[in-house]
Each structure stands twice: as structure tokens, then as C-alpha cells.
Amino acid sequence: MRVRLLYGEQGLEVELPDGSDVIQPRESSPLADPEAALREALARPIGSAPLCDLVQADDRVTIVFSDLTRPAPNRLLAPALLRVVEEAGVPRDRITLLVGTGLHRQMSAAELEALLGPEVANSYRVVVHDARDPDSLTFLRRYPGERRGGIYLNSAYLQASVRIVTGFVEPHIFAGYSGGGKGVLPGVAAAPNIMRNHSAENLLHPQATFCVGAGNPIFEEMREVAVASEVTFLCNVTLTADKAVSGFFCGDLVEAHEAAMAEVDRSAVRPVPHVYDIVVGTNGGYPADLNVYQSIKGMAAAARAVREGGAIVLASECREGVGNEDYAEFLSSRESPEALMAMLMEPGFHRIDQWGIQCQAMAQLKAEVHLYSSLEAETVRAAHLTPCEDVSATVVKLARRVEEQSGKRAKVLALPSGFQAIPAVQVE
């Protein structure tokens, strides 16, 4: 059977065994007129006054946007939000566009133009958040019950009197859902705060997984910090599998995000009858599959449905390599996923991006992982993954091995849209 996987910008056609199960997100219809729908959402928000009533001419306004690793339609959002702000009388020299990178890399001028549109990027003050720069951060509050340290956020964000946070809502590997408070923590937070939120202990929590908010310590702290920072207005979107806008969720931080989360649950959470010997997954295509670091999400989604000792075949372009140089070195610093996990569990161990290493190791402790990508085989092996030259041939080989070992036909599942469809295994 022929299946088209989301891979890079072009997609990838593969041949899988007849009878393989395929799950996709439930169909969401793209909005016929996204610009009109956005104007309506800003004028009639969820749990909030309209944005135009929340902005005064003497305000200082900061609008937070996702970086290039997220498919948020920033070139649609930015002009619409700026129009409302400027119609309220706020001059351009009191407006800041803040790119919430969390701990992702910095962005070039060309990338900012691609992100926001050349006209917007070159006409307003644009700040790219740097979580590692203490001079660009401002104290928000102490951690409950602690007298030292505390939570620090980007100064351009906290110094604003109107704080607008945008984002794209989808299933998230350990935060439950993206969007909402995630635009603040990790989006514009300090590195130590991000690392604490993404700690090894938190990632091991049973509720720290896709499409879980309540009881998820990572999600709950993200929301708590965002609420404490007094977000004025949230502007979140949901997208179809083809990256077209399917909904706008604007207004109160909590209420608007909850509405978006309910829509994500409806479209993304898909029951499957059992675990599988082989799961073929993706990271949802470009831009989500820019590197191995980002692609761990697709790996983790596949791991939810694979049996212990099974196999995952992940198709992810990784045109930018493994990740940044430090991450690649970190990943190859031990001889195996088991050794990496042991290192992460050492008392007091903390290192930036350890959550990516941990999520990959957790998947690999359950199943072997084969990666089809644009990377050299040597690079893939250094990341502790098995290079795959042909998805179809690899699945045939793995299925034959299952049949030889068990005498039974291999159970194969495909997740062509990656973590946009979250398999929920039913009790067998």
C-alpha cells in the first residue's frame, strides 16, 4: 500500500505492507478567509475584552512570536495585530516584536524577514530573545517557598504595559500542548528557568506527555508563570495537516488556550487497537523536521504505539543536521542511549537541552530507531540512530525479521503526519 509521509517540503511516497494501519489527524477544514476570521477573533475574543479596548495610545506594546521552528502563520498574525495596536494610537517606537526562541539558536536578518515579512521586519523594533544573556532579562518572582534565585523573563516583554502572546497549538512531547503559556516559558524565559521546567524529574512524570495538561508539572508551571507575567491578550492558532489555518483562539490566556486544546484533542488523539511491531513516523515535515533535536517529537509519538523491543522508522529531513554544535556533542558524548540516560539521572546533573537527549533515550530504550534523512550515515550513527536508506525496504526487512522470530505477520502502523496524530493504545 502506498502512503505519503510528510517529509521536508516535498513529502515522501513509501510502500508499506498491505494491511498496515495508518492514522492521521481528524480532518480539520481550512478557514475560507483567514484574514476575516482573524479580525473577527480579535474583535470577539474568548473570555476577554476585544484587543482594541485593551490598548491605549500611551501604552508600550510587546508582541511575542514563535521562531522559525514553528509553522505559526506569523506573516498573517503580525500585520493584523499591529493594525489594531496602531489604530489605538500607539506609535511604532513604542512597539516591540519579540521572537520567543526559548533556548533555540538566534536568527539572521533574512530569517526574520521570512518569519514576519520584509515590511514588518524592517519597519519595527524586532528583538530575538536570548535566554543566556542575563543583561536582557528582568526578575519576575521567586519560586514558591524559595528565598534565592527566581524566574526571569525578557526585559522587552516585562517592560511593556501591553503583552500580546501568539503561538501555534499542537500536541507537545512533554508539555502536553504548545501555545498558551509556552509562549512565555520557555519562549521568553531565562535558561535556568527553562532547564528547571524541562528537568529530568519532570520529564519522567507520567503526566508529562502529549495532550495532557492537568497534572502535568511542565504544563502547569508554564501556565502559572505566564499568568504571573500578566499576559494581556493571547492569539493562538490551530492548523490543518497541510499547515493551513483551521482556527483562531484569541482572548484570555487560560480560556482561549483551553478552547484550542479541546480542538487539538478532537483532531489529534486517535485510538489504536494494540501496540505494533513497527511504527513508521515523521516529524510533520518542514519546518518541524529541520534537525534531529526537533525530530524527537515524532520519535516519541511513534514510541507510544510500538511494542517493547519493536522498531521505529522515522522519516525526517534534518536539513540543519543534528542540532546546534553543543547538542550534537552532548548526544555523542556517551556510547549508547543507556549510558546517556544513566548520565542524566546522576544527582545534580543539569545541562542545556538535556530534555532532548532524555526523550530520545526513552524512545530508544523501548525500541530500535531507524532514521531516514538527508544526513550522512556517519552523522546518524553518531546520534545513536540507525541510518535508513530506503523506508519501504527497511520496513520489509524488519517485518521479515518479526515473522521469522515469531511466526506471525508483523503489525505495522504509519503516522504520516507525525505527532499531529497521537496514538492512544486501547487496552488489549
Coordinates of all heavy atoms in Angstrom, one line a residue, residues 27 40 75 145 163 183 232 273 282 305 322 334 383:
E27 N -9.8 15.2 10.1 CA -9.8 16.3 9.2 C -10.3 17.6 9.8 O -11.4 17.6 10.4 CB -10.6 16.0 8.0 CG -9.8 15.9 6.7 CD -10.6 15.6 5.5 OE1 -11.3 16.5 5.0 OE2 -10.6 14.4 5.1
E40 N -12.3 38.9 13.1 CA -13.4 38.5 14.0 C -13.0 38.0 15.3 O -13.6 38.4 16.4 CB -14.3 37.4 13.2 CG -15.5 36.9 14.0 CD -16.6 37.9 14.1 OE1 -16.6 38.9 13.4 OE2 -17.6 37.6 14.9
R75 N 3.3 35.8 9.5 CA 3.1 36.8 8.5 C 1.7 37.2 8.3 O 1.4 38.3 7.7 CB 3.7 36.4 7.1 CG 5.2 36.2 7.2 CD 5.9 35.7 6.0 NE 5.9 36.7 4.9 CZ 6.8 36.7 3.9 NH1 7.8 35.9 3.9 NH2 6.7 37.7 3.0
G145 N 8.1 29.2 48.0 CA 8.9 28.6 49.1 C 10.4 28.7 49.1 O 11.1 28.2 49.9
R163 N 1.0 43.1 26.8 CA 1.8 42.0 26.4 C 0.9 41.0 25.6 O 0.0 40.5 26.2 CB 2.4 41.3 27.6 CG 3.3 42.2 28.5 CD 3.7 41.5 29.8 NE 4.4 42.5 30.6 CZ 4.1 42.8 31.8 NH1 3.0 42.3 32.4 NH2 4.8 43.8 32.5
G183 N 4.4 30.2 25.3 CA 5.0 31.4 24.6 C 5.8 32.2 25.6 O 6.7 33.0 25.1
T232 N -1.6 40.2 28.5 CA -2.8 41.0 28.2 C -3.7 40.3 27.3 O -5.0 40.3 27.5 CB -2.4 42.3 27.6 OG1 -1.4 43.0 28.4 CG2 -3.6 43.2 27.4
P273 N -5.8 -0.1 18.2 CA -6.3 -1.2 19.0 C -5.3 -2.0 19.8 O -5.6 -2.7 20.7 CB -6.9 -2.1 17.9 CG -6.1 -1.7 16.6 CD -5.9 -0.3 16.8
T282 N 7.0 10.3 11.2 CA 7.6 11.5 10.7 C 7.6 12.6 11.8 O 7.0 12.4 12.9 CB 6.9 12.1 9.5 OG1 5.7 12.9 9.9 CG2 6.4 11.0 8.5
A305 N 3.2 3.9 20.5 CA 2.4 2.8 19.9 C 3.2 1.5 19.5 O 2.7 0.5 19.1 CB 1.7 3.2 18.6
V322 N 22.1 17.7 13.2 CA 21.6 17.1 14.5 C 20.9 18.1 15.4 O 19.9 17.9 16.0 CB 22.8 16.4 15.2 CG1 22.4 15.9 16.6 CG2 23.3 15.2 14.4
R334 N 28.4 9.9 25.0 CA 28.3 8.6 25.6 C 28.1 7.6 24.5 O 27.7 7.9 23.4 CB 27.2 8.5 26.7 CG 27.4 9.4 27.9 CD 28.6 9.0 28.7 NE 28.8 9.7 29.9 CZ 29.4 10.9 30.0 NH1 30.0 11.4 28.9 NH2 29.6 11.5 31.2
A383 N 24.7 9.9 16.4 CA 23.5 10.3 17.2 C 22.8 9.1 17.8 O 21.7 9.2 18.3 CB 22.5 11.1 16.3

